[in-house]
Each structure stands twice: as structure tokens, then as C-alpha cells.
Amino acid sequence: MYNRKRRNRLLLGLLLVASITVVTLDFRQGQGGPIAHLRRAAVAVFGPLEEGVSRIVHPVGDFLSGLGQVGTLRGENSRLKREVAELKDRVNTYDDLARENGELRRLVGMRDERCRCKTVAATRVGTAPSNYSWAITINVGTADGVGPDMAVINQDGLVGKVVEANANYAVVKLIVDPGSGATARVARSAAIGRLSGRGPSSLSFELLDPEAEVIVGDAVVTAAIEKGIFPEGIPVGTVTEVFRERNALTKRVRVTPYVDFSSIDKVLVVTAKATGPPEG
Amino acid sequence: MVRRVAVLGILVATCVLVQATVFSSLRFGGIQPSLVLLAVVALALTDGPITGAVFGFAGGLASDLLGSTPVGLSAIVLSGLGYGLGSLKPYLVTPSPLVPMALTFAASLAGLLGFGFLAAMLNVPVPPAGFMLRAGLLGSAYNMLLTPFVFPLVRELSSRLRPQRIEGW
């Protein structure tokens, strides 16, 4: 009995040491290290599985997530749409295609008009299994020209950046993740600052000039910088709160993003930014 | 024994997979249930500290690898949780279903808050404290409600695979 307890404790100790080693390795090695390789391997294994399962359970997931949204206009809207679909098969198919068409048109519009960059289209196949980190897995990888540190956008605006990619799948860290950062500016006054994530659908925007002019309702877009990741002028969100602080060195505001991060489906990965000055 | 390890391995992979695909659609108020954590609690209470710790380690590692947090944090939290709960196993004699539910709530809360605390200590960017607390409570409540569904499944699976000898792991 005594031996069993000791053996248990030893095993736990071993596991904890292994975990700490892994954390340390990950911290110190970053992109090139063994942990990054392990991540890529995990994505390689789980990627196709996630895609397969997603395809099967998408209708179930949609139904269940619809349950969770009952009580909001959107939930009511989706529920009614589903009822119509059940009754009229052909109309359902048409509605679906029209919606997808609209979504794809807006995606193309985002790429061609706002971004003017080269992109690769992808679909979300999985979400990071954690409540404190916001990341998704998409079904494109290095074989499609996608690599780490590429911006990801969708028809509504900025989504995030690629952090890991193997041949066929990639992991995208969303901008609402606390570990995300981007340079952005207020569209109206061109005041520049730094964005960072604050959780499920909120961003913190810190303007460099404490006297910068910004009001609730202002639009925020990305600001391209030297050696930056994000292209210029991608819509990010709207200012919803301006914090007043005396004698502060910067001005902080809260931004609500345009993108609905709880239901990301199709995205574009920016593989090459527009070169030359933007027209107009 | 090999068969047991293999099946438990598949269970880990399945939980992570289901979590990454289906459960993310089950967000209520922005929070999703933690299937992996649930499975760790269930296995620890059924099979003892070793299974709990190992399963927690594997599940935590897999969850980290698919996310954007530093790899290893969930492994630490979940293996510790698995061990702790497994050690409680000999003291749980009541067949009441409320006990596993209460334990799941407590364990989920400890796990979610512990993860946040650890991440903050290591200077990993985390969401604001208010959000973490709310997410911890909501997530734990969510897990607690799923316990009556997950627990019997895990119990059944585990007892089917128990080696024939009286002595467990």
C-alpha cells in the first residue's frame, strides 16, 4: 500500500516535470523548436479528422448553436429559416446557395476593393479547445502557399493571423485573443495606436497620442507598418467606449470588432500584400 | 493492458476532436464546455490517480497543441487535477449522482482558474480578470450540467476495460 502511494506520487512528479519541460521548451524555442514541430504534427493529425467531423456534424452544430441563441433576433431568424427549409426542400437549396453567393461576393469585394492583395480562400474546420484562447484551424496549409505570420480576413474585416501551418492545415490566432496585437488607426482622424485582444468579442485600442481625437462610433482600420503583418486599411471594428484618464501617456478605447468570432466560416489568408500606393 | 492504453488514447483523441468541432458551436454566453476536463474528472473518479494524471497530461497536451496558448500549461493543470481527484476516489462511497456533479463543478473551477493563474504568472497574455472569473463560473456550471451524460459513459467504458485481476492500475 505504501509502495503504491509512492509510485503514484513519483508518476505525478514525472508528469509535472515533463509538462514544465514542455512549457519551457515552447517558451524558449518559439517557431523553430521541437514544440513547434509537435504542434505541426498535432495539426497534421487532427486537421483532417476535424474537417471530417465538421462536415458531418455541421448541421447538428448549427442546430445546437441555434438553441443557444434562442431569445435573440438572430436565433429567431435562423430558427425560422430552418423551419422553412424543412418544409420546402428546393427553396432551401436556393436560399443556401444565394447566401453563400452573397458571402463569397463580399469576400471577393473585401479582397479586391479594401485589401487589394493576393489571398487564399479557406474554411474553418475546428476551434481551439479552450475557454481562454481564441484560435481556429483552417483547411489550407503550406501546400497552398500559406505560412506563419500571414494576415487572415473575412468579408466583415480582420480575423487574425496564422501562427502555425503544416502542409494542409493551419492554426489562426484570432485578434480577440489576448496574445494578439496589431497596429491600427482611427479611420476619421488617422490617429495611430496598438490593438490587443480582450476576450470573446472585444478589443483594446491604445492610441499613442493622449490628445488624439476619437469618439464613440468611430471606425477603426488596420495601419500597415514597416515589416508589419497586416495589410493597410482592413476594417477592424467600431469604438464603443473612450476611457478618460488624467495625465495618461496614451489614450485607451474599447473597440467592438465587425467580425462575429463565434461563427467564422469562410476566410481569406493574405499571401501577398498590395504593392505600391493605394488608389483613392 | 495494451488494449486499455489504446482505447484510453482513442478516448483522449475523441474528446479533443469533439471539443474542437461540435462543442465550439455550443457556446452559451461565449463559453464552451470543456469535454476534456469532464473526461479527466470522470476517469479520475472511476479509475484512480494514475489514470487521471496520465489522461490529464495527454488531454491537456493535445488541447494546447491545437490552440494558441503555450504548450504544456493545460497538461500541468489537468494532470494535477486528475491526480488530486483520483486520490479522492477511495473516500467516495455514496452512489448519489449529486456528488460527481459537485466535484465536477469544483474541479472545473479549480482547473479553469488555475490555468488562468498559471498563465498570468508566466506572463502569458490572458483576458481581463473579470472575464476569467465569469468564464470560470459559467464553464464550471456548464460542465456540471453535462456530468450526468458523460459520467455513466466513461464509467461503462472503463469497467469494460478493467484488467481481470483484482488489482487495478
Side-chain angles (χ1 to χ4, degrees), chain A residues 3-279:
Chain A
N3 266 338
R4 164 97 72 87
K5 265 234 146 113
R6 253 182 105 196
R7 192 172 57 126
N8 285 5
R9 295 231 180 104
L10 207 67
L11 184 70
L12 177 71
L14 223 80
L15 286 175
L16 285 178
V17 168
S19 306
I20 294 173
T21 312
V22 167
V23 175
T24 315
L25 273 176
D26 191 31
F27 257 105
R28 308 196 92 218
Q29 295 281 357
Q31 276 295 325
I35 301 303
H37 278 103
L38 204 62
R39 253 201 227 261
R40 260 166 263 156
V43 177
V45 168
F46 279 99
L49 292 173
E50 282 178 317
E51 188 161 23
V53 175
S54 266
R55 230 173 267 185
I56 301 171
V57 301
H58 212 49
V60 178
D62 279 346
F63 174 72
L64 288 172
S65 76
L67 280 182
Q69 284 159 13
V70 159
T72 67
L73 276 175
R74 185 172 148 212
E76 167 105 337
N77 189 33
S78 312
R79 194 169 54 83
L80 289 171
K81 261 196 181 158
R82 268 195 307 276
E83 280 177 2
V84 167
E86 270 152 49
L87 293 171
K88 300 180 186 181
D89 243 6
R90 284 183 111 197
V91 176
N92 175 49
T93 310
Y94 172 76
D95 274 348
D96 227 22
L97 288 172
R99 179 193 55 79
E100 192 168 9
N101 185 275
E103 198 178 296
L104 291 171
R105 275 178 192 271
R106 291 204 306 282
L107 265 176
V108 169
M110 177 61 69
R111 182 196 67 195
D112 288 342
E113 285 149 40
R114 296 308 297 259
C115 179
R116 256 167 280 117
C117 43
K118 279 186 180 285
T119 59
V120 171
T123 317
R124 174 181 71 101
V125 293
T127 313
S130 159
N131 270 324
Y132 293 152
S133 78
W134 287 267
I136 57 173
T137 310
I138 55 177
N139 61 352
V140 289
T142 50
D144 307 283
V146 167
D149 287 342
M150 286 187 178
V152 179
I153 61 178
N154 79 353
Q155 70 272 17
D156 294 320
L158 186 65
V159 169
K161 77 168 189 199
V162 178
V163 289
E164 198 62 71
N166 69 1
N168 293 308
Y169 295 92
V171 175
V172 177
K173 187 187 276 230
L174 307 176
I175 47 161
V176 287
D177 185 292
S180 267
T183 319
R185 60 182 163 81
V186 179
R188 189 173 56 91
S189 60
I192 272 205
R194 185 111 188 116
L195 278 172
S196 53
R198 287 187 90 252
S201 53
S202 165
L203 300 166
S204 173
F205 186 27
E206 197 167 352
L207 292 153
L208 293 177
D209 181 3
E211 307 293 318
E213 224 225 275
V214 59
I215 54 171
V216 172
D218 270 338
V220 178
V221 298
T222 55
I225 53 173
E226 192 69 40
K227 298 200 179 117
I229 294 171
F230 299 106
E232 170 77 29
I234 305 294
V236 175
T238 30
V239 176
T240 49
E241 212 177 327
V242 178
F243 298 108
R244 312 200 164 288
E245 279 162 53
R246 287 167 163 265
N247 306 322
L249 292 172
T250 57
K251 190 173 231 178
R252 284 195 308 121
V253 302
R254 180 88 34 94
V255 172
T256 300
Y258 294 123
V259 173
D260 179 5
F261 289 100
S262 57
S263 62
I264 299 183
D265 186 28
K266 296 191 176 22
V267 297
L268 295 172
V269 181
V270 176
T271 48
K273 293 195 274 189
T275 46
E279 308 129 34

